[in-house]
Amino acid sequence: MVYILLADGFEEMEALVPADLLRRAGAEVALVSVAGQEFVTGLHGVAVKADLSLCDTSVGAGEMVVLPGGAGWRNGASPETEALVRGIFQKGGWVTAICAAPTLLGSFGLLDGRRAVCYPGMEDGLTGAVVCKGEQVVHDGNLITGEGPGSAYPFALALVEALKGPAALEQVRGETYYRG
């Protein structure tokens, strides 16, 4: 299961592009409301119906967790969110974040010595990381980070390849006519 965590004010592209491309690749994906509400409203007013609430997730079932950026993490993450992310990381599952969200991984202590990227100007929040300023997507072990909204498509494709392999990547690239 892929959990895409949604907090009010999430960056829509950074959540929905990965959800779409991962589902095209055959991954089981759940849009997860971290606050428990049925609809979560993005930074630009797009309301998205959550598939699950955070309390319905399980570290054991999680193959990947995706943290989209945006204003949703302005006050940090709940202990429950951190526990899910940390649990998936510790069992070797994929932990991914884009835009402002990689700074959460820094605050959780998951970036020590790892290569990472985030939204330009927020690099101080990548505590312990080797900052790869200017790269769209950075893959280091079981961590994948992305720069920002303009990186949503390459970020999502990196998630597809990590979870489903090169054949799925090429299948999704072909059916969406992505040439980047």
Side-chain angles (χ1 to χ4, degrees), residues 21 37 64 104 114 117 147 157 169 177:
L21 296 188
Q37 73 267 39
M64 177 182 279
L104 288 177
R114 301 287 197 103
V117 68
E147 185 178 48
L157 288 172
L169 170 67
Y177 294 95

Side-chain angles (χ1 to χ4, degrees), residues 18-66:
D20 181 285
L21 296 188
L22 284 161
R23 285 179 177 172
R24 287 173 189 262
E28 188 177 3
V29 176
L31 298 171
V32 178
S33 168
V34 298
Q37 73 267 39
E38 183 178 8
F39 286 91
V40 185
T41 303
L43 187 61
H44 302 98
V46 177
V48 174
K49 186 175 189 288
D51 300 310
L52 297 174
S53 179
L54 186 60
C55 65
D56 297 322
T57 63
S58 159
V59 168
E63 296 176 87
M64 177 182 279
V65 62
V66 181

Side-chain angles (χ1 to χ4, degrees), residues 115-142:
R115 297 175 65 244
V117 68
C118 67
Y119 190 79
M122 300 187 80
E123 292 86 1
D124 287 349
L126 296 179
T127 308
V130 176
V131 178
C132 300
K133 200 170 187 171
E135 292 189 40
Q136 281 195 302
V137 178
V138 175
H139 186 158
D140 189 337
N142 63 332

Side-chain angles (χ1 to χ4, degrees), residues 65-161:
V65 62
V66 181
L67 298 168
W73 307 115
R74 192 171 285 143
N75 297 318
S78 69
E80 296 81 11
T81 296
E82 182 176 353
L84 177 68
V85 172
R86 187 179 295 284
I88 290 173
F89 177 81
Q90 289 173 340
K91 75 172 198 171
W94 294 101
V95 172
T96 73
I98 185 169
C99 196
T103 63
L104 288 177
L105 303 182
S107 73
F108 299 163
L110 302 182
L111 297 179
D112 291 343
R114 301 287 197 103
R115 297 175 65 244
V117 68
C118 67
Y119 190 79
M122 300 187 80
E123 292 86 1
D124 287 349
L126 296 179
T127 308
V130 176
V131 178
C132 300
K133 200 170 187 171
E135 292 189 40
Q136 281 195 302
V137 178
V138 175
H139 186 158
D140 189 337
N142 63 332
L143 293 174
I144 300 173
T145 54
E147 185 178 48
S151 305
Y153 215 94
F155 175 74
L157 288 172
L159 305 186
V160 167
E161 184 173 31

